[in-house]
Amino acid sequence: MKIVYKDIPPKLEEYLKIRKEVNFVKLEQRIAKNGLENSAYIVSAYDGERLVGLARLISDGGYVNFISDVIVHPKYQLKGIGKNLVEMILEHLQKNLIEGEKIAVYLMSAKNKEAFYKGFGFEAHPNAKKGSGMSLWLEG
């Protein structure tokens, strides 16, 4: 297994397929396409021609940054791929900072995956300083 990381978005079909393989919420093609096209940065992991992982960064270009869709195909989990994807996004953010600048990086952890993100320095919410991370799905 030779995993190659690319800082390019996957093809729409690959993205929808891997989301299905990890039981993420099903997205309509238009919504998924817009999400990929409007991401600030995407890292994709390939085993040959097969997409086996990805992570997206959504950003306002200022201080608000959100890591989304940290996805690793089940057969490739626990091999360091997810860790590499998150590290690459954090490195991308870090290299664009000027000394003295601060930005916030947010994410929503899947249930029982909080320990993975704590390894990068993320704090679980709620805690003594911050409220709960929250989300809402709207449907048309």
Side-chain angles (χ1 to χ4, degrees):
M1 173 178 70
K2 172 83 167 110
I3 302 301
V4 176
Y5 297 90
K6 302 177 182 180
D7 58 353
I8 58 171
K11 294 176 186 158
L12 178 60
E13 299 77 27
E14 294 175 312
Y15 176 60
L16 292 171
K17 181 180 178 190
I18 199 167
R19 286 183 64 88
K20 183 177 181 180
E21 291 169 334
V22 297
N23 295 317
F24 271 30
V25 172
K26 182 182 184 221
L27 300 177
E28 297 304 319
Q29 284 195 1
R30 181 181 73 86
I31 299 296
K33 181 177 182 279
N34 286 343
L36 290 175
E37 290 176 354
N38 291 300
S39 296
Y41 184 68
I42 299 177
V43 181
S44 302
Y46 287 88
D47 183 1
E49 296 295 314
R50 181 180 186 182
L51 177 69
V52 298
L54 75 122
R56 297 190 311 127
L57 173 67
I58 301 158
S59 177
D60 67 359
Y63 83 94
V64 177
N65 301 276
F66 187 84
I67 297 175
S68 182
D69 291 344
V70 178
I71 300 172
V72 177
H73 187 282
K75 291 182 180 176
Y76 291 81
Q77 291 178 5
L78 302 175
K79 299 181 185 311
I81 295 169
K83 181 176 186 267
N84 290 339
L85 293 168
V86 173
E87 283 177 347
M88 291 174 77
I89 286 184
L90 294 175
E91 287 170 7
H92 172 78
L93 288 166
Q94 186 71 49
K95 77 178 180 186
N96 290 305
L97 287 176
I98 297 170
E99 187 175 336
E101 292 181 331
K102 269 188 196 177
I103 59 173
V105 183
Y106 302 103
L107 58 82
M108 292 294 295
S109 173
K111 188 172 182 172
N112 299 320
K113 300 294 184 184
E114 294 86 356
F116 171 77
Y117 295 106
K118 285 182 179 181
F120 297 99
F122 285 92
E123 296 176 338
H125 292 220
N127 62 31
K129 298 183 291 183
K130 301 173 185 157
S132 297
M134 302 177 78
S135 64
L136 166 70
W137 284 90
L138 297 176
E139 294 186 35

